[in-house]
Amino acid sequence: MATLTTPTTGTTVPPGLFRFGRASGIAAGALIGVPGAIEGFTGETAPTSTLVGVSPALAFPFLIALYLRHAHPRDRFALTAFATNLIGLGLFGASAFTLNLALFHLPQPALQTLLEGPTRPALFASAALFAVGSVLFGAFLIRSRTAPTAASWLYTGAFPLFALLAPLPDSPLTSALHAVVGTTVVWLSLDLGRHRSAPAA
């Protein structure tokens, strides 16, 4: 199978990986930002909740492509940040899927009973790990000096806040964060198609 070497990392990858990561990131960002912004006016609905719930699954190819595009092969901090963010995304994405496609449809008394058990601590723990991973990965993007600076800072600041507020009831702040996070993901996804010089080790 044909491969290519990225101009930033020197890593050999399948030629379609960045295109796939770019497309999936744009889709993930849209599914986070647009329904979140709509909920600022309508409140949470079954359609918007469903779209937000499936968005993390599309973020995995985006995150992998983003790491390969901007990481230096010998940068151990970048690998640690990526691994933490990837595992956190898996747990947080599973929590988002559960909250938006399952728990959303439960009657309020049943939901409160469920959250009195281990469910609430598990949701907060997954959000906390994703928040830590987002800070680390955002710091890696800032250090790389090859990703858009403003988007990298937004990733570092908005994503952890978004994760930690996710298990709480919806509010205008959470709707605004959905829009900011979605915009950041789309921004970084569009940038995957650009060629930049390699960062220092």
Side-chain angles (χ1 to χ4, degrees):
M1 182 179 65
T3 60
L4 60 84
T5 301
T6 67
T8 303
T9 66
T11 304
T12 301
V13 297
L17 187 145
F18 290 117
R19 292 193 297 271
F20 180 42
R22 187 170 185 258
S24 66
I26 292 171
L31 291 179
I32 296 169
V34 175
I38 292 173
E39 288 177 353
F41 299 95
T42 65
E44 190 174 10
T45 65
T48 58
S49 184
T50 299
L51 293 175
V52 172
V54 301
S55 62
L58 297 171
F60 280 94
F62 155 74
L63 188 64
I64 293 169
L66 196 63
Y67 168 72
L68 290 176
R69 173 62 77 192
H70 298 292
H72 191 281
R74 295 186 295 275
D75 189 345
R76 293 184 179 179
F77 173 76
L79 179 59
T80 300
F82 168 69
T84 306
N85 205 193
L86 189 68
I87 294 171
L89 176 61
L91 292 172
F92 182 68
S95 298
F97 187 89
T98 302
L99 284 169
N100 288 282
L101 277 84
L103 301 188
F104 173 77
H105 299 283
L106 288 179
Q108 195 63 28
L111 178 60
Q112 291 301 321
T113 300
L114 178 63
L115 293 178
E116 289 174 0
T119 304
R120 191 189 300 272
L123 293 175
F124 275 105
S126 64
L129 180 60
F130 180 64
V132 172
S134 297
V135 170
L136 293 175
F137 196 78
F140 144 64
L141 290 176
I142 293 169
R143 286 177 62 225
S144 74
R145 298 184 180 180
T146 56
T149 303
S152 300
W153 279 104
L154 283 173
Y155 196 106
T156 309
F159 278 56
L161 188 59
F162 172 74
L164 294 175
L165 292 180
L168 302 179
D170 291 324
S171 67
L173 176 59
T174 59
S175 294
L177 281 171
H178 275 81
V180 171
V181 166
T183 300
T184 304
V185 172
V186 171
W187 188 350
L188 290 169
S189 298
L190 292 172
D191 187 70
L192 283 173
R194 299 181 61 185
H195 297 285
R196 294 169 180 265
S197 58

